[in-house]
Amino acid sequence: QVQLVESGGGLVQAGGSLRLSCATSGRTFNTNRMGWFRQAPGKEREFVAAVSRSGSSTDYADSVKGRFTISRVNAQNTVYLQMNSLKPEDTAVYYCAAGIRFYSRDYYREPTYDYWGQGTQVTVSP
């Protein structure tokens, strides 16, 4: 089992920045892929960003490309999501996810992730 705990969410004005953290514990060798997803009110959960185990491969949803950066520090068992130039449409609950399978082109698919955090709320005011 892998436990995931997100932190860093909050209320920010449009144009501002936040950095989300995801601390992992347990069988962290099973975190070959890590991802961030989000769910806005009344909408389905959607992919935001993903990173491979080494950190050398990253991918982003088109809606956040150029504004968000995903990274991981394996020595600290932590994954980060730096969010800049935030927009009101970024308002959502953000979830951290970990997957056992190695990084591949299906990084955006939820079923490829085995463990999920409880989520952290991000609210961007106009």
Side-chain angles (χ1 to χ4, degrees):
Q1 288 288 338
V2 177
Q3 291 78 44
L4 308 173
V5 178
E6 302 99 333
S7 61
L11 174 64
V12 64
Q13 288 188 329
S17 299
L18 282 175
R19 187 177 79 158
L20 304 184
S21 300
C22 174
T24 68
S25 61
R27 301 169 74 87
T28 57
F29 56 84
N30 280 338
T31 59
N32 287 312
R33 62 173 65 186
M34 296 292 299
W36 286 96
F37 292 76
R38 67 186 182 186
Q39 187 168 22
K43 295 186 177 182
E44 293 186 352
R45 190 159 58 186
E46 64 177 5
F47 167 77
V48 175
V51 62
S52 62
R53 184 170 189 82
S54 68
S56 60
S57 296
T58 58
D59 288 280
Y60 299 91
D62 288 342
S63 59
V64 306
K65 202 170 292 183
R67 300 188 297 123
F68 291 12
T69 302
I70 188 171
S71 61
R72 64 188 295 172
V73 180
N74 290 331
Q76 299 175 357
N77 293 323
T78 303
V79 178
Y80 300 97
L81 184 69
Q82 178 66 43
M83 306 186 295
N84 299 328
S85 302
L86 282 162
K87 305 175 181 179
E89 50 263 46
D90 294 319
T91 294
V93 177
Y94 283 70
Y95 297 92
C96 178
I100 298 173
R101 68 184 67 187
F102 290 104
Y103 202 79
S104 61
R105 293 182 180 180
D106 59 0
Y107 57 81
Y108 60 93
R109 297 184 64 243
E110 289 190 33
T112 68
Y113 293 84
D114 304 282
Y115 307 101
W116 293 81
Q118 293 299 308
T120 184
Q121 176 71 46
V122 171
T123 303
V124 184
S125 62

